[in-house]
Amino acid sequence: MALDPSATEGTVSRDLLYRSLFEHSPMEVHIWQLVRDEQGALLTWRLVEANAAALKAWGLRLEDAVGRTAGDLFPDADTVATLRPMVEEIMASGQPLQWERAFAGAQQIFRMMSIPVGDCFISTGFDVTAERQRQQALEHALQSVTQATLAGGVGLWDWDLRTNEVHYSDAWKRQLGYAPDEVADSFEEWRVRVHPDDLEPTLAAAQASLEDPGQPYDVIVRMRHRDGSYRWILGQASVLRDEAGRPRRMVGSQIDITERRRLEDRVREAQKLESLGTLAAGIAHDFNNLLTAVRGNVSLLRAMPLAPPEADGLLKVLEDATGRAAALTKQLLTFAKGGAPVREVASIGELIVDSATFVARGSKARCEFAIASDLAAVHADVGQLSQVIGNLVINAIQAMPQGGAIRIGAGNTRLGAEHASGLPAGPYVQITVADEGGGISPADLPHIFDPFFTTKPQGSGLGLSTSYAILARHGGRITVESTLGQGSLFTLFLPATDAVPRAPAVPCAVAGTGRILVMDDDETIRVLAQRMLERLGYAADACGHGEEALALYGRARQAGQPYDAVILDLTIPGHEGGAQVLARLRAHDPQVVAIVASGYADDDVLAHHEAHGFRGRLQKPFDLTTLSVELARVLGLAPSGGARSTA
């Protein structure tokens, strides 16, 4: 509607002004007249007038809407029932009322102002359905973000650079052990909790991010927890700037990565341990070759006549020393790499006493033993089992720095199917090691067998985890019980066997006849092996690698003088090892008799030599007696009777 410019100020021009405002307003405007019953009770209301915005929203023409009641115009919205209390309120009070209602039938939300005028009321406002839907979507998104940050342990902070106030989320406070009301909204709350060594670098990173929009704030910082410990925190943030590019706020997040750092440290320790294992394996191999030379030559000296009277005692010292050195290299390799157990049927009562006594020697602790006289045999690697006993005794000694009794027992037991150890039912040897120390806290008890877990400042955290692994590889289990102030009790279970332990080694070398081929990369071992074999009565040849062994073996067969047995070193640097060479030999002679020799105590071929085609094994260092007995066994020679002794 156009205004008449000639109209004078007064009633007509004011009416035109209001009429124009009514018709062209972007808000819905509609006027309703009340409809009452004979007693004056409100029944409904009838449309008197509506502007273009309202009619467009309703999808109606004015002539089709005027005079109709709200129920007729909006039959699905239940308008009268929804709005009657509001209409009655404004008519009774005579005051305008702002309201917002959702109409289920129409699936719309209106925000309106209703004004009473006589027996009518005017309502004006907007359909805010789309706005409310966006708001609900935003709230849902915010709830999702909040839940995600809570689930992920993400702490949030918002730093107002103008006021220096920092708002910390509840999750941020909980990360450091505080309740929501225990941390104030100030920058100082963050500053005082940062590790002194990390404060300046972190502030420098924040300053760089504030000065350069392209510089991200991404830091790892240590922050003090309420319990006094420091937690590793990953912090990331963005800077919010005004239109001129000036920083106004810095908002960020932080995650406690302490456990991740610990895991990374453990991985690094494992990598170091793997490197140590590789180094230890090489050292053990070379050292065992040297020990073989010493031990073998000592055994040759023993077999020679006309030695001075005092030679026997000196040679015994050398033999004992090489035996202890060999045991140490084996323990080093088992500690560093684990190692497959080289098992034998053994009675371990004496081993338990010897291992514990050796470790406790020189300490303030004393060992008290209760070993059953009828202790069953076990199928075990006695070297690894000795290491387990030693680890547990060391642990007990460390638990009693002022000294005390270490009570060590061993006996036979039978476990049922539901035993707490989780082991299969059957007969076992049970070994117990108890101390009188301060005990293990309930919080630490579930972790004591974890690799690298230790409560000792100088501890490696490997002794108990290594022991656990050794028992597991033997089909056994180790458990612990502890009470603070009352000490700890470690219990070991090893499967018992009815097999009879092998008789002690024959006290003198067993002679034999035949041709033997030796392959070893160490010239000293080759020379020693030939001497020992010749001393035993064999004819011997030696070579340094597989190609030579194959050539010698082939020529001997062609000449009609085949070798009765071959002794193959398991590892030949730069060439095929004993297992590969044996496979090639068997391709030409399936009946080849082979013995594997190695200074690597952890190799599976040595532990399960028969599965790899070998008839026997020689663990370096070996001596004349060990060599002769193993050869006699694989060649079917009796170690007594028809065979002659070289002694």
Side-chain angles (χ1 to χ4, degrees), residues 475-559:
R477 191 68 50 84
I478 179 172
T479 63
V480 60
E481 300 173 32
S482 186
T483 303
L484 283 176
Q486 299 181 26
S488 302
L489 171 66
F490 288 87
T491 304
L492 287 64
F493 297 98
L494 279 169
T497 177
D498 294 331
V500 179
R502 184 185 295 183
V506 178
C508 59
V510 179
T513 58
R515 302 191 68 216
I516 310 298
L517 174 62
V518 177
M519 181 189 78
D520 198 292
D521 65 297
D522 192 308
E523 183 179 2
T524 303
I525 302 300
R526 295 198 297 270
V527 172
L528 172 65
Q530 284 185 284
R531 286 178 177 172
M532 289 196 295
L533 289 167
E534 290 169 358
R535 178 72 183 176
L536 293 169
Y538 298 96
D541 292 316
C543 60
H545 55 77
E547 294 300 329
E548 291 181 350
L550 288 164
L552 287 170
Y553 196 87
R555 286 198 295 267
R557 293 188 71 201
Q558 290 175 0

Side-chain angles (χ1 to χ4, degrees), residues 86-278:
M86 180 272 298
V87 173
E88 290 177 337
E89 179 182 348
I90 63 171
M91 299 309 294
S93 67
Q95 298 296 319
L97 178 67
Q98 184 173 303
W99 53 273
E100 184 173 310
R101 294 287 191 279
F103 293 89
Q107 297 183 343
Q108 289 177 296
I109 303 172
F110 289 94
R111 184 173 180 80
M112 308 291 286
M113 172 73 78
S114 293
I115 306 167
V117 181
D119 204 30
C120 298
F121 67 90
I122 304 171
S123 290
T124 178
F126 290 101
D127 181 344
V128 294
T129 305
E131 179 183 345
R132 293 296 176 262
Q133 289 174 344
R134 287 192 297 271
Q135 184 178 1
Q136 290 175 358
L138 178 59
E139 290 175 352
H140 179 73
L142 289 174
Q143 289 175 356
S144 298
V145 170
T146 301
Q147 291 173 353
T149 56
L150 289 174
V154 180
L156 304 177
W157 50 269
D158 185 347
W159 181 17
D160 189 327
L161 300 171
R162 294 166 296 184
T163 64
N164 210 35
E165 290 184 350
V166 185
H167 174 71
Y168 306 100
S169 71
D170 292 349
W172 188 98
K173 299 170 186 176
R174 281 193 294 269
Q175 277 184 358
L176 301 177
Y178 292 93
D181 60 347
E182 292 182 316
V183 178
D185 288 339
S186 73
F187 179 77
E188 192 62 23
E189 294 279 7
W190 173 84
R191 181 195 294 271
V192 298
R193 289 175 174 82
V194 175
H195 192 285
D197 294 343
D198 298 340
L199 181 58
E200 290 304 321
T202 307
L203 289 175
Q207 187 62 34
S209 184
L210 291 172
E211 294 176 355
D212 182 1
Q215 183 70 31
Y217 177 84
D218 192 340
V219 300
I220 294 178
V221 59
R222 287 166 291 179
M223 296 189 69
R224 191 177 69 253
H225 193 272
R226 186 174 190 172
D227 62 13
S229 66
Y230 278 95
R231 305 297 174 92
W232 289 96
I233 301 296
L234 171 62
Q236 296 174 311
S238 298
V239 178
L240 304 182
R241 304 175 185 273
D242 60 18
E243 295 178 355
R246 293 184 296 267
R248 286 292 178 258
R249 291 167 60 203
M250 196 171 187
V251 294
S253 64
Q254 68 178 43
I255 302 174
D256 187 336
I257 60 169
T258 304
E259 288 303 316
R260 191 180 85 182
R261 292 279 296 205
R262 288 175 180 167
L263 180 60
E264 290 171 350
D265 289 342
R266 289 183 179 182
V267 171
R268 282 192 291 270
E269 290 296 330
Q271 291 170 341
K272 291 178 184 177
L273 188 61
E274 184 176 357
S275 299
L276 175 62
T278 302

Side-chain angles (χ1 to χ4, degrees), residues 385-543:
L385 189 55
S386 175
Q387 183 181 353
V388 171
I389 300 300
N391 286 341
L392 293 179
V393 172
I394 289 172
N395 189 74
I397 292 171
Q398 293 175 340
M400 301 185 299
Q402 304 305 315
I406 304 174
R407 291 178 294 278
I408 302 171
N412 302 320
T413 188
R414 176 170 289 276
L415 301 184
E418 302 299 326
H419 192 265
S421 66
L423 292 169
Y428 288 83
V429 169
Q430 177 177 308
I431 304 169
T432 57
V433 179
D435 64 62
E436 299 175 331
I440 305 168
S441 73
D444 292 337
L445 199 60
H447 305 290
I448 63 169
F449 296 118
D450 293 349
F452 310 110
F453 179 84
T454 179
T455 58
K456 305 178 182 69
Q458 305 302 322
S460 67
L462 289 170
L464 291 178
S465 61
T466 300
S467 299
Y468 190 94
I470 290 174
L471 265 293
R473 285 195 294 270
H474 281 77
R477 191 68 50 84
I478 179 172
T479 63
V480 60
E481 300 173 32
S482 186
T483 303
L484 283 176
Q486 299 181 26
S488 302
L489 171 66
F490 288 87
T491 304
L492 287 64
F493 297 98
L494 279 169
T497 177
D498 294 331
V500 179
R502 184 185 295 183
V506 178
C508 59
V510 179
T513 58
R515 302 191 68 216
I516 310 298
L517 174 62
V518 177
M519 181 189 78
D520 198 292
D521 65 297
D522 192 308
E523 183 179 2
T524 303
I525 302 300
R526 295 198 297 270
V527 172
L528 172 65
Q530 284 185 284
R531 286 178 177 172
M532 289 196 295
L533 289 167
E534 290 169 358
R535 178 72 183 176
L536 293 169
Y538 298 96
D541 292 316
C543 60

Side-chain angles (χ1 to χ4, degrees), residues 293-324 623:
V294 175
R295 189 171 183 176
N297 282 298
V298 168
S299 65
L300 280 175
L301 286 173
R302 273 192 173 282
M304 293 180 180
L306 304 177
E310 64 271 17
D312 186 68
L314 295 175
L315 293 176
K316 181 65 167 65
V317 171
L318 284 173
E319 287 173 341
D320 291 344
T322 55
R324 289 195 298 271
D623 58 14

